[in-house]
Amino acid sequence: MMMFIVDAMLGKLAAWLRLTGNDTFYSTQLHDDELIRIAKEQSRILLTSDAILARRAEDAGLEFMLVRGSVDEEIASVFLKFGIKPDADPAKSRCTKCNGILTHIKNDEKQRIEGLVPEQTFNYYTEFWLCKYCKSVFFQGGQWTNIEEYMSRIAELMKKLET
Ligand SMILES: [Zn+2]
């Protein structure tokens, strides 16, 4: 199981890594020194768009990738390099906000998330995923359709990058 640490400039990449089920450390509060230290201590692959930080990671003997291009290219190239499938399955996803593990909430235990989502959402959907740590709630609503669309776009781009 690969684990990542992502620099502050790559927030979208961090979210998509989490959605595709990858343990991803991300914070906008960390200095380069701390990124290097955490990568080393937790054996995380450092993803950065900063050439100087990439150089430091190399010197420290860390596994890293210098990520370049548009957001789509960043995501596609990282997925390609590390063999990540562009497939966001809520049963495997991590919380996009805090990297927490999600708990599946079935229809008959739905009261556990009452008050954490708007009433309409609560009434309409029958399946939810709850982050134990930050209490964010996810569900396969309209948003999830967009997630699938975006992942197929990334899949296309990965094919292009491969050739
Ligand atoms: Zn969370």
Side-chain angles (χ1 to χ4, degrees), residues 95-102 131-136 138:
C95 176
T96 51
K97 292 185 185 135
C98 80
N99 197 39
I101 291 168
L102 303 181
C131 175
K132 280 184 273 189
Y133 302 100
C134 76
K135 306 290 177 210
S136 291
F138 302 86

Side-chain angles (χ1 to χ4, degrees), residues 110 113-125 128:
K110 194 154 115 151
I113 56 116
E114 196 165 8
L116 296 176
V117 290
E119 206 183 324
Q120 260 189 317
T121 305
F122 180 81
N123 291 332
Y124 185 77
Y125 292 99
F128 298 87

Side-chain angles (χ1 to χ4, degrees), residues 5-8 25 27-39 46 50 53 56:
I5 184 163
V6 173
D7 84 23
F25 194 110
S27 162
T28 54
Q29 312 292 322
L30 296 181
H31 301 291
D32 286 2
D33 289 344
E34 294 169 301
L35 289 171
I36 297 271
R37 181 179 56 78
I38 293 164
L46 179 69
D50 175 358
L53 181 57
R56 289 193 55 193

